Amino acid sequence: MSFEKIIGQETARKILQGLLKRKIFNRTFLFYGPQGTGKFTTALVFSQGINCRNSNDNNPCFSCRVCLLTGNLKHPDLLVIDVGTSGNIKLEDSFRVHDFACTVPLEGRFKIVIIKDAHHFTTEAANNLLKILEDLPEYLAVILISSHPQLLLPTILSRAVKIQFFPLSQEQIELFLLENYEITEGRAHLLSGLSQGSLGKAIDYISGDLLINMRKSVINYLYLLKSNKLVDAFACLGIQDKDSREESLKKLEILSLLVRDLLMYLAGFNHLIINIDLERDIKEICEELDFEKTQECLLFIVNSIKSANDYNVNPSLFWDKITIKIKDYMHA
Ligand SMILES: [Zn+2]
């Protein structure tokens, strides 16, 4: 992995290589943008660049001891904080950062803290972290990673050097899948479309039948709503209160892609259908559907996903409303 191998993200790459050149490390950085777009990978390459012993032209060498250990997350001057099973970054995690930050680097020039999903800080942990950020030791770099930066404390946001990551193009993802996995062109095209700019998602989809099964239940759900079978539709999606936020969000995203495809079909843009292998079902569900109602329906689903993301809530809260809305739109 090197800066050149990071897919897309040219702006981020240029900024970071500029920082490496000017040796500006003693800062809080915020890498933000959609999930699965290379934020953590880039953070590791940047960390390697900061401490590499043989860096060349603002690129780490990837072969010195520091680069190798950093790449394997085993370097003593690197601390990676991730959400635990509780789904939160807790006060004790912020204490780990304090402990790590209070001594000088063991081997590298800098100590580096990478905090994944930084929007999952509890308020007390975030306030405790803020104490370090307000008075950053001269040998410390902190990289916050977040797909929902609006959920971070404004006092943390205002301190950070912000580096934005963008969704990848379908072509970039398709090419990566074809080059790195044994996969047919058709499947690479389908998965890159479904992943909506997130390479992480596309890779997730490759392993396992989760996506296929989930799409099947969402299609059945739409068929059942079309036949006015509200209770069965609900049961078929298997929505449960215990569904995790991620699980629930995934179902909702698949639903939004399928409803988007209904809209494409209704508009006569069949070549823009993402779930192309389900074209027959899409055609059947579309019978007697109204373009404008379907458009309203899609808008409602997209807004629900946005609210779930903006307020960090479990979208299972929205399923009742969404289901009734879709049924009503289908029968309007
Ligand atoms: Zn190196």
Side-chain angles (χ1 to χ4, degrees), residues 48 51-55 60-68:
Q48 287 169 315
N51 277 332
C52 174
R53 293 165 178 185
N54 318 311
S55 74
C61 75
F62 301 105
S63 54
C64 71
R65 189 188 130 80
V66 176
C67 281
L68 292 175

Side-chain angles (χ1 to χ4, degrees), residues 9 34 55 73 76 79-80 90 115 125 171 198 225 227 246 249 263 275 281 301 309 316 331:
Q9 316 306 351
S55 74
L73 313 185
L79 174 68
V80 177
K90 293 196 211 154
I115 301 178
E171 291 71 29
S198 163
L225 287 181
S227 333
E246 279 61 39
L249 206 52
L263 207 59
N275 295 278
D281 294 300
I301 296 168
N309 280 329
S316 59
H331 297 275

Side-chain angles (χ1 to χ4, degrees), residues 267-286:
F269 297 142
N270 296 28
H271 61 291
L272 293 180
I273 291 177
I274 291 175
N275 295 278
I276 196 70
D277 55 327
L278 299 175
E279 196 175 359
R280 252 168 78 186
D281 294 300
I282 289 166
K283 184 180 168 199
E284 251 178 75
I285 294 170
C286 272

Side-chain angles (χ1 to χ4, degrees), residues 137-182:
E138 58 189 12
Y139 50 80
L140 191 70
V142 177
I143 305 174
L144 306 171
I145 294 181
S146 178
S147 48
H148 304 300
Q150 74 282 7
L151 298 172
L152 287 164
L153 286 185
T155 38
I156 289 185
L157 273 180
S158 66
R159 283 185 185 276
V161 177
K162 297 169 193 71
I163 297 173
Q164 187 171 8
F165 286 68
F166 297 94
L168 302 176
S169 72
Q170 181 166 4
E171 291 71 29
Q172 283 170 328
I173 295 180
E174 197 172 327
L175 192 67
F176 179 87
L177 295 181
L178 286 170
E179 282 176 352
N180 292 280
Y181 294 88
E182 288 199 9

